[in-house]
PDB file of all heavy atoms in Angstrom:
ATOM      1  N   TYR A   7       0.990   4.866  -2.792  1.00 77.00           N
ATOM      2  CA  TYR A   7       0.784   6.261  -2.462  1.00 77.00           C
ATOM      3  C   TYR A   7       2.031   7.114  -2.653  1.00 77.00           C
ATOM      4  O   TYR A   7       1.980   8.333  -2.603  1.00 77.00           O
ATOM      5  CB  TYR A   7       0.280   6.392  -1.000  1.00 77.00           C
ATOM      6  CG  TYR A   7      -1.145   5.938  -0.871  1.00 77.00           C
ATOM      7  CD1 TYR A   7      -1.478   4.729  -0.227  1.00 77.00           C
ATOM      8  CD2 TYR A   7      -2.191   6.672  -1.429  1.00 77.00           C
ATOM      9  CE1 TYR A   7      -2.780   4.313  -0.113  1.00 77.00           C
ATOM     10  CE2 TYR A   7      -3.516   6.235  -1.332  1.00 77.00           C
ATOM     11  CZ  TYR A   7      -3.788   5.057  -0.683  1.00 77.00           C
ATOM     12  OH  TYR A   7      -5.105   4.623  -0.595  1.00 77.00           O
ATOM     13  N   ILE A   8       3.178   6.476  -2.882  1.00 79.00           N
ATOM     14  CA  ILE A   8       4.389   7.208  -3.263  1.00 79.00           C
ATOM     15  C   ILE A   8       4.466   7.407  -4.773  1.00 79.00           C
ATOM     16  O   ILE A   8       4.720   8.483  -5.255  1.00 79.00           O
ATOM     17  CB  ILE A   8       5.668   6.418  -2.759  1.00 79.00           C
ATOM     18  CG1 ILE A   8       5.732   6.409  -1.245  1.00 79.00           C
ATOM     19  CG2 ILE A   8       6.916   7.054  -3.372  1.00 79.00           C
ATOM     20  CD1 ILE A   8       6.818   5.515  -0.696  1.00 79.00           C
ATOM     21  N   VAL A   9       4.169   6.335  -5.490  1.00 83.00           N
ATOM     22  CA  VAL A   9       4.255   6.389  -6.960  1.00 83.00           C
ATOM     23  C   VAL A   9       3.166   7.298  -7.539  1.00 83.00           C
ATOM     24  O   VAL A   9       3.444   8.056  -8.467  1.00 83.00           O
ATOM     25  CB  VAL A   9       4.126   4.968  -7.555  1.00 83.00           C
ATOM     26  CG1 VAL A   9       4.029   5.047  -9.097  1.00 83.00           C
ATOM     27  CG2 VAL A   9       5.354   4.135  -7.168  1.00 83.00           C
ATOM     28  N   LEU A  10       1.959   7.213  -7.008  1.00 79.00           N
ATOM     29  CA  LEU A  10       0.839   7.980  -7.563  1.00 79.00           C
ATOM     30  C   LEU A  10       1.110   9.490  -7.598  1.00 79.00           C
ATOM     31  O   LEU A  10       1.021  10.088  -8.659  1.00 79.00           O
ATOM     32  CB  LEU A  10      -0.435   7.657  -6.818  1.00 79.00           C
ATOM     33  CG  LEU A  10      -1.709   8.429  -7.281  1.00 79.00           C
ATOM     34  CD1 LEU A  10      -1.993   8.099  -8.739  1.00 79.00           C
ATOM     35  CD2 LEU A  10      -2.892   8.069  -6.394  1.00 79.00           C
ATOM     36  N   PRO A  11       1.416  10.143  -6.457  1.00 84.00           N
ATOM     37  CA  PRO A  11       1.648  11.590  -6.536  1.00 84.00           C
ATOM     38  C   PRO A  11       2.869  11.964  -7.376  1.00 84.00           C
ATOM     39  O   PRO A  11       2.814  12.976  -8.073  1.00 84.00           O
ATOM     40  CB  PRO A  11       1.834  11.985  -5.049  1.00 84.00           C
ATOM     41  CG  PRO A  11       2.197  10.734  -4.352  1.00 84.00           C
ATOM     42  CD  PRO A  11       1.501   9.650  -5.073  1.00 84.00           C
ATOM     43  N   PHE A  12       3.915  11.118  -7.299  1.00 84.00           N
ATOM     44  CA  PHE A  12       5.101  11.384  -8.128  1.00 84.00           C
ATOM     45  C   PHE A  12       4.723  11.350  -9.602  1.00 84.00           C
ATOM     46  O   PHE A  12       5.101  12.223 -10.379  1.00 84.00           O
ATOM     47  CB  PHE A  12       6.191  10.371  -7.833  1.00 84.00           C
ATOM     48  CG  PHE A  12       7.379  10.490  -8.749  1.00 84.00           C
ATOM     49  CD1 PHE A  12       8.335  11.481  -8.541  1.00 84.00           C
ATOM     50  CD2 PHE A  12       7.564   9.604  -9.817  1.00 84.00           C
ATOM     51  CE1 PHE A  12       9.442  11.599  -9.394  1.00 84.00           C
ATOM     52  CE2 PHE A  12       8.655   9.717 -10.656  1.00 84.00           C
ATOM     53  CZ  PHE A  12       9.581  10.713 -10.451  1.00 84.00           C
ATOM     54  N   GLY A  13       3.968  10.325  -9.970  1.00 83.00           N
ATOM     55  CA  GLY A  13       3.540  10.177 -11.356  1.00 83.00           C
ATOM     56  C   GLY A  13       2.658  11.326 -11.807  1.00 83.00           C
ATOM     57  O   GLY A  13       2.783  11.825 -12.924  1.00 83.00           O
ATOM     58  N   LEU A  14       1.769  11.758 -10.950  1.00 85.00           N
ATOM     59  CA  LEU A  14       0.877  12.866 -11.279  1.00 85.00           C
ATOM     60  C   LEU A  14       1.664  14.147 -11.534  1.00 85.00           C
ATOM     61  O   LEU A  14       1.341  14.903 -12.445  1.00 85.00           O
ATOM     62  CB  LEU A  14      -0.152  13.079 -10.174  1.00 85.00           C
ATOM     63  CG  LEU A  14      -1.212  11.983 -10.006  1.00 85.00           C
ATOM     64  CD1 LEU A  14      -2.057  12.247  -8.765  1.00 85.00           C
ATOM     65  CD2 LEU A  14      -2.101  11.900 -11.250  1.00 85.00           C
ATOM     66  N   ILE A  15       2.671  14.396 -10.709  1.00 88.00           N
ATOM     67  CA  ILE A  15       3.494  15.591 -10.895  1.00 88.00           C
ATOM     68  C   ILE A  15       4.256  15.529 -12.212  1.00 88.00           C
ATOM     69  O   ILE A  15       4.274  16.510 -12.982  1.00 88.00           O
ATOM     70  CB  ILE A  15       4.472  15.756  -9.682  1.00 88.00           C
ATOM     71  CG1 ILE A  15       3.696  16.060  -8.415  1.00 88.00           C
ATOM     72  CG2 ILE A  15       5.486  16.857  -9.998  1.00 88.00           C
ATOM     73  CD1 ILE A  15       4.524  16.002  -7.160  1.00 88.00           C
ATOM     74  N   VAL A  16       4.901  14.384 -12.465  1.00 85.00           N
ATOM     75  CA  VAL A  16       5.672  14.209 -13.711  1.00 85.00           C
ATOM     76  C   VAL A  16       4.746  14.359 -14.940  1.00 85.00           C
ATOM     77  O   VAL A  16       5.084  15.021 -15.904  1.00 85.00           O
ATOM     78  CB  VAL A  16       6.361  12.809 -13.754  1.00 85.00           C
ATOM     79  CG1 VAL A  16       6.970  12.552 -15.109  1.00 85.00           C
ATOM     80  CG2 VAL A  16       7.424  12.744 -12.683  1.00 85.00           C
ATOM     81  N   SER A  17       3.552  13.767 -14.851  1.00 85.00           N
ATOM     82  CA  SER A  17       2.610  13.821 -15.966  1.00 85.00           C
ATOM     83  C   SER A  17       2.115  15.240 -16.204  1.00 85.00           C
ATOM     84  O   SER A  17       1.941  15.665 -17.340  1.00 85.00           O
ATOM     85  CB  SER A  17       1.430  12.888 -15.708  1.00 85.00           C
ATOM     86  OG  SER A  17       1.870  11.564 -15.591  1.00 85.00           O
ATOM     87  N   PHE A  18       1.902  15.999 -15.128  1.00 85.00           N
ATOM     88  CA  PHE A  18       1.447  17.379 -15.273  1.00 85.00           C
ATOM     89  C   PHE A  18       2.528  18.235 -15.906  1.00 85.00           C
ATOM     90  O   PHE A  18       2.255  19.091 -16.779  1.00 85.00           O
ATOM     91  CB  PHE A  18       1.053  17.963 -13.917  1.00 85.00           C
ATOM     92  CG  PHE A  18       0.486  19.355 -14.002  1.00 85.00           C
ATOM     93  CD1 PHE A  18      -0.797  19.562 -14.513  1.00 85.00           C
ATOM     94  CD2 PHE A  18       1.229  20.444 -13.596  1.00 85.00           C
ATOM     95  CE1 PHE A  18      -1.309  20.841 -14.603  1.00 85.00           C
ATOM     96  CE2 PHE A  18       0.712  21.723 -13.696  1.00 85.00           C
ATOM     97  CZ  PHE A  18      -0.561  21.935 -14.188  1.00 85.00           C
ATOM     98  N   ILE A  19       3.780  18.019 -15.515  1.00 85.00           N
ATOM     99  CA  ILE A  19       4.899  18.749 -16.110  1.00 85.00           C
ATOM    100  C   ILE A  19       4.974  18.411 -17.596  1.00 85.00           C
ATOM    101  O   ILE A  19       5.171  19.312 -18.439  1.00 85.00           O
ATOM    102  CB  ILE A  19       6.239  18.376 -15.416  1.00 85.00           C
ATOM    103  CG1 ILE A  19       6.235  18.909 -13.986  1.00 85.00           C
ATOM    104  CG2 ILE A  19       7.413  18.961 -16.201  1.00 85.00           C
ATOM    105  CD1 ILE A  19       7.413  18.424 -13.156  1.00 85.00           C
ATOM    106  N   PHE A  20       4.778  17.125 -17.935  1.00 82.00           N
ATOM    107  CA  PHE A  20       4.803  16.748 -19.341  1.00 82.00           C
ATOM    108  C   PHE A  20       3.663  17.443 -20.117  1.00 82.00           C
ATOM    109  O   PHE A  20       3.896  17.907 -21.215  1.00 82.00           O
ATOM    110  CB  PHE A  20       4.656  15.231 -19.486  1.00 82.00           C
ATOM    111  CG  PHE A  20       4.333  14.835 -20.893  1.00 82.00           C
ATOM    112  CD1 PHE A  20       5.294  14.924 -21.903  1.00 82.00           C
ATOM    113  CD2 PHE A  20       3.055  14.419 -21.244  1.00 82.00           C
ATOM    114  CE1 PHE A  20       4.985  14.599 -23.234  1.00 82.00           C
ATOM    115  CE2 PHE A  20       2.736  14.067 -22.545  1.00 82.00           C
ATOM    116  CZ  PHE A  20       3.691  14.173 -23.524  1.00 82.00           C
ATOM    117  N   CYS A  21       2.482  17.493 -19.525  1.00 81.00           N
ATOM    118  CA  CYS A  21       1.356  18.142 -20.206  1.00 81.00           C
ATOM    119  C   CYS A  21       1.684  19.591 -20.527  1.00 81.00           C
ATOM    120  O   CYS A  21       1.330  20.084 -21.636  1.00 81.00           O
ATOM    121  CB  CYS A  21       0.103  18.076 -19.312  1.00 81.00           C
ATOM    122  SG  CYS A  21      -0.623  16.440 -19.162  1.00 81.00           S
ATOM    123  N   LEU A  22       2.342  20.268 -19.633  1.00 81.00           N
ATOM    124  CA  LEU A  22       2.740  21.662 -19.870  1.00 81.00           C
ATOM    125  C   LEU A  22       3.743  21.769 -21.010  1.00 81.00           C
ATOM    126  O   LEU A  22       3.636  22.601 -21.907  1.00 81.00           O
ATOM    127  CB  LEU A  22       3.319  22.295 -18.588  1.00 81.00           C
ATOM    128  CG  LEU A  22       2.326  22.524 -17.444  1.00 81.00           C
ATOM    129  CD1 LEU A  22       3.081  23.003 -16.209  1.00 81.00           C
ATOM    130  CD2 LEU A  22       1.274  23.561 -17.843  1.00 81.00           C
ATOM    131  N   LYS A  23       4.760  20.882 -20.978  1.00 77.00           N
ATOM    132  CA  LYS A  23       5.791  20.907 -22.016  1.00 77.00           C
ATOM    133  C   LYS A  23       5.263  20.422 -23.344  1.00 77.00           C
ATOM    134  O   LYS A  23       5.617  20.954 -24.401  1.00 77.00           O
ATOM    135  CB  LYS A  23       7.009  20.068 -21.587  1.00 77.00           C
ATOM    136  CG  LYS A  23       7.782  20.654 -20.415  1.00 77.00           C
ATOM    137  CD  LYS A  23       8.931  19.735 -20.022  1.00 77.00           C
ATOM    138  CE  LYS A  23       9.997  19.692 -21.099  1.00 77.00           C
ATOM    139  NZ  LYS A  23      10.652  20.975 -21.350  1.00 77.00           N
ATOM    140  N   ARG A  24       4.374  19.413 -23.307  1.00 69.00           N
ATOM    141  CA  ARG A  24       3.836  18.862 -24.562  1.00 69.00           C
ATOM    142  C   ARG A  24       2.991  19.858 -25.306  1.00 69.00           C
ATOM    143  O   ARG A  24       2.899  19.819 -26.533  1.00 69.00           O
ATOM    144  CB  ARG A  24       3.002  17.610 -24.233  1.00 69.00           C
ATOM    145  CG  ARG A  24       2.403  16.920 -25.458  1.00 69.00           C
ATOM    146  CD  ARG A  24       3.528  16.416 -26.368  1.00 69.00           C
ATOM    147  NE  ARG A  24       2.954  15.808 -27.547  1.00 69.00           N
ATOM    148  CZ  ARG A  24       2.466  16.490 -28.590  1.00 69.00           C
ATOM    149  NH1 ARG A  24       2.503  17.813 -28.598  1.00 69.00           N
ATOM    150  NH2 ARG A  24       1.972  15.851 -29.625  1.00 69.00           N
ATOM    151  N   GLY A  25       2.412  20.802 -24.603  1.00 65.00           N
ATOM    152  CA  GLY A  25       1.606  21.834 -25.243  1.00 65.00           C
ATOM    153  C   GLY A  25       2.406  22.714 -26.174  1.00 65.00           C
ATOM    154  O   GLY A  25       1.856  23.395 -27.041  1.00 65.00           O
ATOM    155  N   LYS A  26       3.734  22.658 -26.060  1.00 67.00           N
ATOM    156  CA  LYS A  26       4.605  23.464 -26.898  1.00 67.00           C
ATOM    157  C   LYS A  26       5.079  22.747 -28.163  1.00 67.00           C
ATOM    158  O   LYS A  26       5.804  23.305 -28.972  1.00 67.00           O
ATOM    159  CB  LYS A  26       5.812  23.943 -26.085  1.00 67.00           C
ATOM    160  CG  LYS A  26       5.428  24.800 -24.886  1.00 67.00           C
ATOM    161  CD  LYS A  26       6.644  25.170 -24.034  1.00 67.00           C
ATOM    162  CE  LYS A  26       6.224  25.992 -22.812  1.00 67.00           C
ATOM    163  NZ  LYS A  26       7.396  26.319 -21.958  1.00 67.00           N
ATOM    164  N   GLY A  27       4.667  21.446 -28.298  1.00 69.00           N
ATOM    165  CA  GLY A  27       4.995  20.763 -29.531  1.00 69.00           C
ATOM    166  C   GLY A  27       5.753  19.448 -29.299  1.00 69.00           C
ATOM    167  O   GLY A  27       5.980  19.026 -28.161  1.00 69.00           O
ATOM    168  N   PHE A  28       6.146  18.824 -30.408  1.00 72.00           N
ATOM    169  CA  PHE A  28       6.878  17.547 -30.373  1.00 72.00           C
ATOM    170  C   PHE A  28       8.384  17.791 -30.234  1.00 72.00           C
ATOM    171  O   PHE A  28       8.906  18.720 -30.833  1.00 72.00           O
ATOM    172  CB  PHE A  28       6.605  16.751 -31.659  1.00 72.00           C
ATOM    173  CG  PHE A  28       5.194  16.320 -31.843  1.00 72.00           C
ATOM    174  CD1 PHE A  28       4.319  17.069 -32.631  1.00 72.00           C
ATOM    175  CD2 PHE A  28       4.720  15.159 -31.240  1.00 72.00           C
ATOM    176  CE1 PHE A  28       2.999  16.688 -32.810  1.00 72.00           C
ATOM    177  CE2 PHE A  28       3.393  14.767 -31.413  1.00 72.00           C
ATOM    178  CZ  PHE A  28       2.556  15.526 -32.205  1.00 72.00           C
TER     179      PHE A  28
END
Side-chain angles (χ1 to χ4, degrees):
Y7 288 108
I8 293 172
V9 172
L10 179 60
F12 174 78
L14 290 174
I15 292 170
V16 172
S17 299
F18 184 73
I19 293 172
F20 166 72
C21 289
L22 291 174
K23 291 179 67 64
R24 181 61 182 79
K26 299 176 182 178
F28 296 96

